Amino acid sequence: MTTPRQRAHQQTMDDILRIAHQQLSTEGSAGLSLRAIARELGLVSSAIYRYVPSRDELLTLLIEESYNSFGDAVEAAEARCRRDELGRRWQAIGRSVRRWAVANPAEWALLYGSPVPGYHAPPERTTAAGSRVPLLILGLLADAELEPSQDDPPMTAALHRELERVRPSLPGELPPEILARGLLAFSSLCGLVSLELFGQFTNTVTQFPAHLDHQLTRLGALLGLDPA
């Protein structure tokens, strides 16, 4: 059971984040202002710092919330596929990444656009939420039980050791070569979506859903997944 005071505090926090998301959409991350949020809520400027002590804390809260919204959407889309339909699961992941980004362009820019000058996201607050979609892709590759092949380009011994070091904490203890495929797939997917949202395909590609599906099929083949 929560007390009326706790409920009032949570409502104010919800309102602060709602207005902050609006600011993010209209002013960008550099334009976030706790004083402006306080004015909109009818608070004296000093009062808002009892809820959010700094602009950096507000950015961290927005990043956490955005990563989790993103993860919820992509996980839900992937979960609707049959577990044995590996290619279809990959397509569902890719399409839902774009769908969320198009619906939340300001939040996508916060997560995957230019870093905010002077701000450093605390890893203990943001890494777990930010890893949800990459881990979903790696879990899919683990389910596929893929093995390295002669098509995998050679990697340096130093890179191999680095990937060996992290793989026990990842789904299925993927071989370094398969882990490298997954990292390429995620970075390629983010790049495709970012180039669309930031207008870099202007006068080149206008059929974005068809373009994405085509590239997802190509990436799926690179990953070693059967077509959807």
Side-chain angles (χ1 to χ4, degrees):
M1 296 288 291
T2 58
T3 66
R5 184 173 182 176
Q6 289 171 326
R7 290 195 293 273
H9 183 277
Q10 185 59 55
Q11 182 60 58
T12 301
M13 284 298 303
D14 291 344
D15 288 340
I16 289 170
L17 288 173
R18 173 180 54 79
I19 296 169
H21 280 288
Q22 293 171 354
Q23 282 188 353
L24 199 62
S25 296
T26 57
E27 308 295 333
S29 57
L32 289 172
S33 168
L34 284 167
R35 290 178 179 273
I37 293 172
R39 285 196 300 272
E40 187 159 343
L41 289 175
L43 299 173
V44 296
S45 58
S46 59
I48 199 167
Y49 294 102
R50 295 200 298 266
Y51 298 91
V52 181
S54 67
R55 185 208 66 154
D56 281 5
E57 173 63 15
L58 179 61
L59 278 166
T60 299
L61 290 169
L62 288 171
I63 289 169
E64 286 181 301
E65 190 169 77
S66 298
Y67 268 137
N68 282 317
S69 170
F70 180 42
D72 287 346
V74 179
E75 288 172 1
E78 191 269 347
R80 288 192 287 269
C81 301
R82 282 175 36 182
R83 298 299 85 192
D84 61 342
E85 294 184 326
L86 301 174
R88 194 171 300 280
R89 286 166 62 187
W90 164 243
Q91 290 277 343
I93 290 170
R95 290 169 180 167
S96 59
V97 165
R98 178 184 180 272
R99 190 161 52 244
W100 187 89
V102 169
N104 302 275
E107 286 74 14
W108 180 268
L110 177 65
L111 299 180
Y112 297 110
S114 299
V116 180
Y119 171 76
H120 301 283
E124 69 278 5
R125 296 274 300 276
T126 58
T127 298
S131 298
R132 289 174 62 182
V133 174
L135 287 175
L136 191 65
I137 294 172
L138 295 179
L140 169 60
L141 297 185
D143 288 348
E145 299 180 348
L146 300 171
E147 295 292 339
S149 76
Q150 61 182 8
D151 294 329
D152 290 304
M155 63 176 62
T156 65
L159 177 58
H160 196 277
R161 286 194 302 270
E162 186 171 63
L163 296 181
E164 278 281 6
R165 177 178 56 82
V166 300
R167 77 184 184 117
S169 63
L170 300 173
E173 296 193 12
L174 297 166
E177 294 80 3
I178 307 304
L179 175 54
R181 291 187 208 174
L183 295 175
L184 174 61
F186 177 68
S187 58
S188 298
L189 177 56
C190 287
L192 283 166
V193 171
S194 291
L195 288 170
E196 175 190 348
L197 286 186
F198 301 151
Q200 300 301 313
F201 283 139
T202 302
N203 299 324
T204 305
V205 176
T206 59
Q207 302 300 313
F208 291 113
H211 178 243
L212 181 69
D213 281 353
H214 176 76
Q215 300 295 6
L216 287 174
T217 300
R218 294 176 67 89
L219 286 169
L222 181 149
L223 289 169
L225 303 175
D226 292 332

